[in-house]
Amino acid sequence: MFFDHIMTASEPVEGTNPQDLSRRAFLRASAATGGGLLMSIARPFPGHAAAEADAFAPNAFMRIAPNGEISLIMPQIEMGQGTYTSMSMLIAEELEVGLDQIRYEHAPASDKLYTNPALGFQVTGGSTSVRGFYVSLRQAGAAARMMLIAAAADTWHVDPASCKAQRGVVSDASGKRHLTYGQLAEKAAKQPVPADIPLKPNKDFKLIGTPAKRIDVAGKVNGTAMYGIDAKLPGMKIATVAACPVFGGKLGSLDDSAAKAVKGVRQIVRIENAVAVVADHMGAAKKGLEALKITWDEGANAHASQTDIVGALEAASHRDGAVGKSEGDIDAGMKGAAKVVEAVYQLPFLAHAAMEPLNCTVHVRKDACDIWVGTQVASRAQATAAEVTGLPLEQVNIHNHLLGGGFGRRLDIDSITQAVQLAKQVDGPVKIIWTREEDIQHDVYRPYYYDRLRAGLDASGKPIAFHHRVAGSSIVARWIPPLFKNDVDFDAVEAAAGPYDFPNLLIDYVRQEPPAGMTTGWWRGVGVTHNAFMVEGFIDELAVGAGKDPVDYRRSLLGKSPRAKAVLDLVAEKSGWGKTMPSGSGRGVAVLLGFGTYLAQVAEVSVGKDGQPRVTRVVCALDCGVVVNPDTVKAQVEGGIMFGLAAALYGEITVKDGRVEQSNFDSYQVLRINEAPAIEVHIIDSQEKPGGMGEPGTSALAPAVVNAIYAATGKRLRKLPINTDELKGA
Amino acid sequence: MPYTLKINGTDHQVDGDSDTPLLWVLRNVLEMTGTKFGCGAALCGACTVHIDGVATRSCVTEIDNVGTAAITTIEAIDATPAGHKIQKAWLDLEVVQCGYCQSGQIMSASALLASNPKPNDSDIDDAMSGNICRCGTYVRIREAIKQAALSGNTNERRG
Ligand code: FES
Ligand code: FES
C-alpha cells in the first residue's frame, strides 16, 4: 500500500539484477515436522549488519508435504487486493506447479519471522507485496524446484540436468520414470540450497503476466470464506460496544438495569471510556446497549467544532513549515516570475467504512490469550494483547483472517486493544462487534489537509517556481515515530510536486493535530491521493491561465519523465481527448507518479442543472513496470476509481460538539452501482521494476473529476467533497 | 419465544424475542456466517437473503414476521438455477475482491435473474443499488449479471 516509499528509501526494491546475491544467501531449507520440505526466506533483523549470521531468522514460507500438498504461509494478508494470488504466482512460476496446486495459510504473529524489513515489524502494505518479494519468492520457488530435481536425480543416479519438472512431478530424460514433489520432499530437504539460482527469463513465463484466476475467491461466492467476524468458538458470547462519542471523553455514570433485563443479555462490561453489552447474540447485545442509560464525562472536547479545527489548520498554513524538499532558489524564482498565482486547496477528514465492520474475538485465560481477527499488523495486535493482559508475547496467539476490506483501517489496533480490555472481564470467548455507527464515529480518519500552492510563472505561463505548503496532522509521527524526522511527515509531502520538473521548488510541512482523542491514519493512496488532488487541480488552473490545453501543458512539464509522458499520451489518445463534448459535459485529466507506478486518468463528467455531477466514463493508462497479474491490476484500478469517486462526491467526516456527525451509510454516503462510471484500463507493456497498484487508481480520480467539472461548467472546485450548490445552474 | 424457521429447506427451532433480526439468528444462533453484517439498517445489502424468493434485508427482518416462509441463504443459493449461474459468472469474470459484500450481491443478483431473465442496465441499477461494495466491483457485477442472463433459462427452480 503506502510503504513503498519507505521500502524504496531504506531498501532498494529487489531488482531483476542477477548480481543481487544477498537475496540468494537468505534462503534456507529444512525438514518439516511430519516430513516434507520447508523453505524459508531469512531476513536480517533491523539494526544488524547483514554479515552477522545470528541476525537472521528464517520465516517458514513454503511447505511441501509428503502427500504433495504445497502450502504457502502468507506473510502479507489478503484484503481483496489479490496478494495471495500474486505471491503464489511468483513461487509457482519457478517451482513449476499450477496455481490450483497451492493452498494458502495466514501467517501467525511474529516480528522475528515475518518482519517487514524496512519497518522492522510485521505489516502488510498491499502494494509492497509484489515490489518487495518479486525476486526473493521466485528464488525460493526455483531453489525448491532445483532441490526436488536433485533428489530425483539422486534416486535414479542420473544427471539432474537431464530431468524435468512439470506440475509438481519430476521426470527423467526418457520420460518414463516419474516422482512427485510429495514423494521427493523429504529427500529434497537434505539437499544443499543451490549456490546459484538462475531465474527464468521473462519470455519463458507461463504464469507471470497472465490473468490468472485468483486463489481466494471460491469461498467468497458461496459464503464459506472466513473473515474475522465469522470466527466460531464453543461457548462464545457476542458483545457490542459504545465508546464515549466525544473524542477523549470517559464513561461517567451508568444505569444498566433495563439492559440486564433484555432477554439474552449476560453481562455489562465497563472500561474507562466505553461500555459493552455481552449477550447470546448481536440482536440482544444491540438491544441491551440501547437500553443502557449512559452519562458520559465529555471532557475537554465537549465543544470542539469543525470550524475550530479548520480554523487551526488555516492558521497553521500561514506558518513556515519544515522543509520536505527544496531545489533551486524558490525566492529568486518567485521574484523573477512574470506572474505569481496562489490557491488554497482543502481535503476533508474521511472514514474508511470497509464493508466488514471492526470486530475482534478474544479468549483470555490465566495463562494464554487467543485472538481471532483480520489485521494488517498481526504482531502489533499480539503486543497490545500482551500488554493489556500482562501475559508474555508467546502466550498470545493471533489467528488472522481474510479482511473484509482494509483501506488502511486495519493497520491500527485500537479496536483490538479495546476488545482485550473488555474480554479480560468475560469468562470464556467473546466476539466484540462494532456497529456501523461505532465504526464510522470511532474511525481513525484520513487527515484534513489545508494546503497552499503558489507558482511563479514566466511570460508564457510556465512555472519557474513552485511552492506547495502542506498543513495537516501527522500519521507518521503517531504510527511510526522513528520515521518522523526533522518535523517532516514524509507521507504528507509525498508526490507534493507531482511528476513534474520545476527549476525552483519548495515543499514544506506544518503539523497541526486535531483535538486530542481524534486520531488520523492511513487511507487508500495516502500521501499520493492527497497531493494528486492539490497538485493536479492547481496545474489545471495554471494551464487554463496560460491559455493552453491541459494535456499539452502537462506534457511540457514532463521533460524529465518519459514514462509519465507516455501514460499521459496514451490516456489522451484512448479517451478521445480534444473531441467536442455536449454542453454541460467535460473531460478532465490527471497524471501522477506514486508507489513506483505512473498513471493517468481522463474523467468524463456531465453536470445537471441541479448541480449534480455524473461521472460517465473514466479512461486510465498506467505503467506499473512488470505486471504479475494484469487482471488484478485492472481490478485494483476499477475498484480504486470507485473508491476515489465515493470520496469526491460524498466523503466527509465533520465534528460538532466533539462528536462525529456522520454515523451510517445514510449520512456517510458511498458509491452505488447506479453511479458507477464505465471504466477502461490500458496497461503499458513494460519491463521496469514492478510498481504498486493498490492505490494510484484512487489517487488520480478526484482531480480528474474536478478538472472535468471545470471543463463542463467553468467552476473551479478546490475542496472536496464536491459542493453541488456551487454547480447549480452552472 | 420459540420459532420454527425454514432455512434452506430445513426446519430450525430457535428461541428469542420476537423483534430479533433474522440476521443474528442466522449468524450467531445457527452459525450460518455466509450472510454478512454491514450496517444493520437496510442501507448496504450485505445481509440479503431470499424470503420466498424475494431479496430481503435480514438485518431489519424480525423473526416474528417470517412465519412459515422459506428462507434461502448464500449457503444454498447454488441449488437454484439463477443462483448457480450467477455464482459461475462471478467466478468467470473474477468479480470478487475482498468478498465481504459478495454474499449479498449474489443474493440480490440471483433474485433479479430469477424474476427477470433478461435484465437491462436500468433493471440492474434498480435491483442492485441497495448493495454496497466498498472494493468497487460494480463494473464486473454488471457484466456478470449480463453474462449469467445469456447462459439460458433461469426462472425455474431446480428440482
Ligand atoms: S446489514 Fe442489512 S442492509 Fe446492511
Ligand atoms: S468485494 Fe469488498 S466490499 Fe465488495
Side-chain angles (χ1 to χ4, degrees):
Chain A
M1 266 169 95
F2 35 77
F3 305 107
D4 313 271
H5 35 323
I6 312 174
M7 293 285 278
T8 41
S10 39
E11 183 197 58
V13 168
E14 293 172 10
T16 44
N17 184 351
Q19 306 300 315
D20 192 3
L21 297 175
S22 54
R23 302 295 144 202
R24 183 200 62 207
F26 297 172
L27 279 175
R28 300 277 169 87
S30 54
T33 22
L37 167 66
L38 197 66
M39 289 297 291
S40 313
I41 301 168
R43 292 280 195 184
F45 291 153
H48 289 260
E52 289 173 49
D54 62 354
F56 291 83
N59 65 14
F61 189 81
M62 174 176 35
R63 197 171 50 229
I64 303 180
N67 67 4
E69 196 172 76
I70 301 165
S71 309
L72 299 189
I73 298 128
M74 297 293 183
Q76 309 270 304
I77 195 77
E78 177 65 56
M79 46 194 167
Q81 81 280 41
T83 193
Y84 279 12
T85 309
S86 310
M87 307 281 261
S88 302
M89 287 170 80
L90 295 175
I91 291 252
E93 179 72 64
E94 302 284 349
L95 185 59
E96 292 298 348
V97 297
L99 272 187
D100 56 320
Q101 294 174 281
I102 286 182
R103 53 181 292 275
Y104 66 82
E105 287 172 27
H106 310 299
S110 173
D111 273 345
K112 205 169 151 195
L113 301 186
Y114 299 103
T115 197
N116 177 323
L119 295 178
F121 69 102
Q122 183 181 11
V123 52
T124 304
S127 298
T128 55
S129 309
V130 165
R131 307 185 69 198
F133 291 95
Y134 185 66
V135 170
S136 57
L137 288 192
R138 287 172 56 204
Q139 284 179 330
R145 183 201 69 234
M146 291 167 75
M147 292 158 70
L148 289 155
I149 288 181
D154 263 9
T155 312
W156 298 324
H157 306 291
V158 299
D159 177 6
S162 70
C163 302
K164 247 183 44 195
Q166 211 179 3
R167 281 199 60 85
V169 178
V170 181
S171 311
D172 71 355
S174 71
K176 290 203 180 99
R177 283 184 294 187
H178 309 281
L179 285 167
T180 66
Y181 282 5
Q183 292 166 320
L184 291 166
E186 205 163 346
K187 202 163 179 190
K190 298 188 188 102
Q191 297 284 332
V193 176
D196 187 23
I197 309 173
L199 297 180
K200 275 188 193 173
N202 296 11
K203 66 174 175 39
D204 292 347
F205 287 160
K206 290 180 206 150
L207 267 174
I208 296 175
T210 67
K213 290 284 178 196
R214 288 179 51 159
I215 63 170
D216 60 324
V217 293
K220 292 179 175 178
V221 301
N222 62 18
T224 58
M226 291 287 286
Y227 302 85
I229 203 167
D230 300 326
K232 292 169 203 165
L233 298 159
M236 181 177 74
K237 297 275 175 285
I238 308 287
T240 194
V241 63
C244 181
V246 176
F247 297 119
K250 294 191 170 69
L251 183 59
S253 62
L254 185 70
D255 173 358
D256 61 9
S257 45
K260 278 183 170 153
V262 171
K263 184 171 178 166
V265 167
R266 299 287 166 183
Q267 192 182 350
I268 314 294
V269 186
R270 302 154 205 231
I271 55 175
E272 195 188 23
N273 64 351
V275 54
V277 176
V278 182
D280 293 341
H281 56 81
M282 183 71 169
K286 274 177 92 170
K287 206 170 165 184
L289 198 71
E290 276 152 30
L292 285 174
K293 292 193 187 69
I294 311 170
T295 315
W296 298 106
D297 171 4
E298 300 189 354
N301 293 331
H303 302 294
S305 73
Q306 186 78 2
T307 323
D308 293 347
I309 294 172
V310 178
L313 282 160
E314 203 248 317
S317 76
H318 288 292
R319 298 199 290 270
D320 283 340
V323 176
K325 195 172 187 184
S326 169
E327 282 167 13
D329 183 335
I330 190 76
D331 291 335
M334 291 289 179
K335 234 186 233 139
K339 189 177 171 191
V340 174
V341 181
E342 193 171 345
V344 169
Y345 275 76
Q346 297 176 67
L347 284 172
F349 292 116
L350 291 175
H352 299 83
M355 278 317 291
E356 180 192 6
L358 288 182
N359 63 86
C360 182
T361 303
V362 189
H363 190 189
V364 182
R365 282 96 71 211
K366 251 200 202 65
D367 55 352
C369 172
D370 281 77
I371 297 183
W372 295 262
V373 70
T375 177
Q376 290 166 258
V377 285
S379 67
R380 280 191 172 181
Q382 185 187 40
T384 191
E387 198 183 314
V388 173
T389 55
L391 290 166
L393 273 186
E394 3 3 305
Q395 283 165 15
V396 177
N397 305 308
I398 305 294
H399 309 273
N400 214 346
H401 286 72
L402 295 170
L403 269 54
F407 315 123
R409 180 62 178 103
R410 289 180 160 93
L411 284 161
D412 271 294
I413 50 162
D414 51 311
S415 58
I416 301 172
T417 309
Q418 183 204 59
V420 180
Q421 288 169 342
L422 293 166
K424 231 171 58 162
Q425 306 174 52
V426 177
D427 200 16
V430 58
K431 181 189 290 176
I432 291 108
I433 304 172
W434 286 20
T435 58
R436 176 59 64 192
E437 291 78 5
E438 194 72 5
D439 186 274
I440 285 181
Q441 301 199 315
H442 297 277
D443 201 344
V444 166
Y445 302 98
R446 196 282 303 274
Y448 195 114
Y449 289 107
Y450 196 106
D451 291 9
R452 288 181 182 279
L453 294 100
R454 205 156 52 102
L457 308 170
D458 69 13
S460 74
K462 198 172 166 171
I464 50 172
F466 189 88
H467 177 199
H468 184 171
R469 175 172 298 153
V470 175
S473 56
S474 173
I475 307 169
V476 168
R478 173 183 73 80
W479 196 81
I480 185 145
L483 296 184
F484 185 70
K485 288 182 188 143
N486 308 318
D487 294 326
V488 177
D489 182 306
F490 68 84
D491 170 70
V493 298
E494 175 84 12
Y500 303 110
D501 182 28
F502 302 114
N504 302 290
L505 171 71
L506 174 65
I507 296 169
D508 60 348
Y509 170 70
V510 186
R511 183 178 178 190
Q512 176 66 47
E513 295 292 329
M518 184 177 190
T519 315
T520 55
W522 308 111
W523 192 93
R524 196 170 190 175
V526 286
V528 180
T529 295
H530 146 222
N531 284 314
F533 177 72
M534 311 309 204
V535 172
E536 284 302 276
F538 189 56
I539 290 284
D540 220 66
E541 292 191 47
L542 300 182
V544 171
K548 303 259 165 60
D549 171 81
V551 168
D552 291 341
Y553 187 80
R554 283 175 172 80
R555 198 185 276 130
S556 74
L557 304 176
L558 289 171
K560 290 195 181 149
S561 187
R563 292 174 74 193
K565 229 182 193 169
V567 294
L568 183 64
D569 286 343
L570 184 61
V571 86
E573 178 204 324
K574 297 290 183 187
S575 65
W577 183 263
K579 288 199 185 119
T580 15
M581 295 206 40
S583 92
S585 313
R587 271 188 208 95
V589 67
V591 59
L592 58 81
L593 162 61
F595 318 97
T597 291
Y598 293 83
L599 182 144
Q601 281 176 10
V602 167
E604 292 182 0
V605 182
S606 62
V607 180
K609 284 272 164 282
D610 56 355
Q612 291 295 335
R614 183 162 173 87
V615 180
T616 47
R617 177 178 175 232
V618 178
V619 182
C620 179
L622 63 97
D623 171 357
C624 63
V626 171
V627 173
V628 175
N629 188 336
D631 194 55
T632 298
V633 168
K634 220 174 140 242
Q636 283 300 301
V637 172
E638 291 165 359
I641 284 170
M642 305 297 179
F643 204 79
L645 186 51
L649 293 176
Y650 307 118
E652 181 174 40
I653 289 292
T654 54
V655 176
K656 191 180 173 193
D657 296 332
R659 298 159 159 83
V660 163
E661 293 188 276
Q662 294 71 24
S663 63
N664 206 325
F665 291 120
D666 46 359
S667 47
Y668 191 76
Q669 269 180 265
V670 297
L671 203 77
R672 293 173 184 274
I673 195 169
N674 56 316
E675 303 160 302
I679 294 174
E680 291 163 39
V681 182
H682 304 278
I683 304 174
I684 287 185
D685 188 19
S686 169
Q687 296 306 313
E688 302 281 345
K689 286 174 190 168
M693 273 318 303
E695 344 254 341
T698 297
S699 308
L701 189 277
V705 167
V706 294
N707 293 341
I709 288 176
Y710 178 82
T713 66
K715 294 267 181 204
R716 180 64 65 187
L717 302 176
R718 300 189 183 89
K719 195 178 167 193
L720 290 182
I722 290 162
N723 180 351
T724 52
D725 284 344
E726 279 184 54
L727 301 178
K728 268 190 196 132
Chain B
M1 66 180 269
Y3 290 87
T4 302
L5 297 174
K6 195 165 147 207
I7 305 167
N8 301 333
T10 309
D11 284 350
H12 294 267
Q13 258 57 257
V14 297
D15 190 22
D17 282 352
S18 59
D19 60 355
T20 304
L22 174 62
L23 173 65
W24 302 116
V25 172
L26 291 171
R27 288 188 53 83
N28 297 155
V29 179
L30 302 173
E31 297 194 330
M32 298 172 66
T33 51
T35 304
K36 299 302 190 215
F37 164 56
C39 71
L43 296 166
C44 79
C47 65
T48 305
V49 299
H50 293 181
I51 296 187
D52 280 341
V54 178
T56 307
R57 312 293 182 227
S58 65
C59 69
V60 292
T61 303
E62 300 177 356
I63 47 173
D64 196 42
N65 292 333
V66 177
T68 56
I71 301 163
T72 308
T73 69
I74 184 74
E75 284 89 354
I77 198 63
D78 183 50
T80 70
H84 184 77
K85 280 175 185 151
I86 288 288
Q87 281 176 322
K88 182 168 181 313
W90 247 241
L91 290 173
D92 286 349
L93 296 187
E94 293 269 24
V95 170
V96 175
Q97 291 192 25
C98 87
Y100 191 81
C101 74
Q102 299 294 348
S103 294
Q105 305 281 1
I106 287 169
M107 294 309 285
S108 291
S110 9
L112 166 66
L113 204 61
S115 65
N116 177 355
K118 289 268 173 296
N120 61 25
D121 279 326
S122 88
D123 298 332
I124 293 175
D125 283 347
D126 289 348
M128 302 302 295
S129 59
N131 287 80
I132 293 172
C133 174
R134 278 296 270 162
C135 296
T137 61
Y138 297 131
V139 169
R140 294 184 190 214
I141 287 176
R142 187 181 299 282
E143 282 314 302
I145 292 174
K146 290 181 179 172
Q147 176 168 314
L150 285 177
S151 62
N153 199 9
T154 51
N155 53 359
E156 279 163 30
R157 295 206 148 243
R158 211 195 248 177

